Amino acid sequence: MPVLTRLIPSPVVVDISRGAMDDLAGLLADQRISASGKLAIATSGGSGLALRDRLAPVLPGADWYAIADGAIDSAVKLADDIKGKRYDAVVGLGGGKIIDVAKYAAARVGLPMVAVATNLAHDGICSPVSILDNDNGRGSYGVPMPIAMVIDLDVIRDAPVRFVRSGIGDAISNISAIADWELSHRVTGEQIDGLAAAMARTAGEAVLRHPGGVGTDDFLTVLSESLVLSGIAMSISGDSRPSSGACHEISHAFDLLYPKRAASHGEQVGLGAAFAMQLRGAHDDAALFADVLRRHGLPVIPEEIGFSVDEFVNAVQYAPQTRPGRFTILEHLDLSADQIRDAYADYVKTISS
């Protein structure tokens, strides 16, 4: 008998609204995630303290764990600290690093994880991956995706606007990543998961085409939904393919070659996506990407994030080494440094016209 359907991994609940954080205790109880309120809540020792003061009265059964950084050692320590204490769930309350640490620790001890995002810097808030620093730099670790996703728009507004801008870059880079996936299908025969691709592309297009700005609830809601959909798309496909192509390879190259100077993840992948569109010959799309990035205050040339053209060329040339086995426009063209430099000059003309 043919398989007529498939189960789609996704959070039990997604709450994106103003004041959502104040309803956290009721949400967890209503969804039968934690009727007792016995929770392990991981948060930062800095900005997380204010949120702890705010939430502690409505979560009296919770224990709070301050997370030092986004390292694998911090994630293992959290897992060791919560092991055997009969918690209902682990809550990651903070930005991407805190949520990634909480996801890994929850997976290690076999508990469900609830993500309460305090910024929208990237699509890791709802992905089945934890990005953690280790002795070799940074690694990706497969984990279950969060069982619940909470985004309080009031809290998002209070975060520095650079985090929202970073999320914009990450969201629209999906479109470039899907183009790379389709290229690999044509050239190498790599299979495409059509549902994952549709979700990721829709998420990217929703942000790319939205007329609003970072200060409106409407736009922040669409961006939040897009980042959640990107995470679900990755869970459906079983890897980061729907949201990671040449754009992310270029970003990883910046991180590895210039670790103390790298910009935000979203700034780098947004720039990488616009340039990758130019490499594909999609000049109109490259110009559109650049226009949208500019409108939201993101960089469109490397000098705007502190890198010279030579450093950008080095990063693009090195980029394929960051994801061995992944086929993108960079692997397909296999450009020399001089060819990359020429392509960059063409890119500058495209986005300036």
Side-chain angles (χ1 to χ4, degrees):
M1 178 180 293
V3 177
L4 301 180
T5 188
R6 63 172 170 175
L7 298 177
I8 299 175
S10 65
V12 172
V13 60
V14 175
D15 186 0
I16 302 169
S17 61
R18 299 184 66 175
M21 193 175 292
D22 294 329
D23 296 330
L24 181 60
L27 180 149
L28 297 179
D30 290 345
Q31 297 297 325
R32 301 183 182 180
I33 296 169
S34 178
S36 70
K38 185 67 174 172
L39 302 166
I41 302 182
T43 191
S44 70
S47 59
L49 292 177
L51 295 172
R52 174 176 176 171
D53 292 341
R54 173 178 165 183
L55 288 176
V58 297
L59 295 170
D63 292 328
W64 297 78
Y65 296 88
I67 307 302
D69 53 34
I72 182 69
D73 290 344
S74 294
V76 172
K77 181 180 185 303
L78 176 61
D80 291 342
D81 288 344
I82 65 180
K83 188 185 304 180
K85 294 187 178 178
R86 299 183 181 277
Y87 293 117
D88 297 326
V90 178
V91 177
L93 173 62
K97 289 183 179 180
I98 300 299
I99 289 175
D100 280 348
V101 166
K103 282 193 290 188
Y104 183 92
R108 193 175 175 97
V109 298
L111 286 173
M113 185 270 177
V114 177
V116 183
T118 58
N119 68 59
L120 301 177
H122 57 74
D123 58 20
I125 56 177
C126 193
S127 74
V129 177
S130 284
I131 307 296
L132 300 170
D133 296 328
N134 56 38
D135 292 339
N136 294 318
R138 185 166 293 172
S140 299
Y141 303 87
V143 294
M145 72 187 315
I147 194 172
M149 183 75 241
V150 177
I151 300 175
D152 189 327
L153 297 180
D154 292 328
V155 174
I156 298 303
R157 283 179 177 280
D158 289 340
V161 69
R162 69 177 185 273
F163 291 127
V164 175
R165 288 173 176 151
S166 181
I168 293 168
D170 207 15
I172 68 173
S173 75
N174 285 5
I175 301 167
S176 177
I178 296 301
D180 280 326
W181 204 1
E182 292 170 340
L183 172 66
S184 182
H185 175 68
R186 292 193 301 271
V187 176
T188 73
E190 179 183 357
Q191 289 298 306
I192 295 178
D193 187 309
L195 180 58
M199 272 193 177
R201 194 196 322 266
T202 299
E205 290 282 355
V207 175
L208 184 72
R209 309 288 177 179
H210 197 287
V214 298
T216 67
D217 282 352
D218 185 37
F219 180 80
L220 292 177
T221 298
V222 168
L223 176 59
S224 299
E225 291 172 346
S226 295
L227 296 176
V228 170
L229 283 175
S230 295
I232 295 173
M234 286 187 272
S235 187
I236 290 172
S237 70
D239 60 20
S240 62
R241 195 50 150 141
S243 299
S244 176
C247 46
H248 280 63
E249 289 182 338
I250 292 170
S251 179
H252 295 324
F254 276 126
D255 292 340
L256 291 170
L257 295 176
Y258 315 108
K260 295 182 179 180
R261 296 170 50 203
S264 76
H265 174 77
E267 288 177 328
Q268 292 176 175
V269 299
L271 169 60
F275 181 66
M277 288 308 215
Q278 176 75 23
L279 292 180
R280 295 185 191 97
H283 299 170
D284 290 344
D285 288 332
L288 174 60
F289 271 47
D291 286 345
V292 172
L293 292 171
R294 282 197 198 99
R295 181 164 64 84
H296 290 299
L298 282 96
V300 296
I301 56 174
E303 291 93 334
E304 293 173 346
I305 50 174
F307 294 104
S308 68
V309 174
D310 286 343
E311 289 170 330
F312 179 73
V313 170
N314 289 340
V316 173
Q317 190 169 31
Y318 183 81
Q321 299 180 51
T322 67
R323 293 303 302 265
R326 179 152 293 181
F327 190 87
T328 76
I329 190 65
L330 299 179
E331 287 80 3
H332 182 59
L333 296 179
D334 191 21
L335 300 176
S336 67
D338 287 342
Q339 289 173 318
I340 295 170
R341 197 180 310 277
D342 290 342
Y344 176 74
D346 291 338
Y347 166 73
V348 171
K349 292 178 182 176
T350 294
I351 67 173
S352 300
S353 59

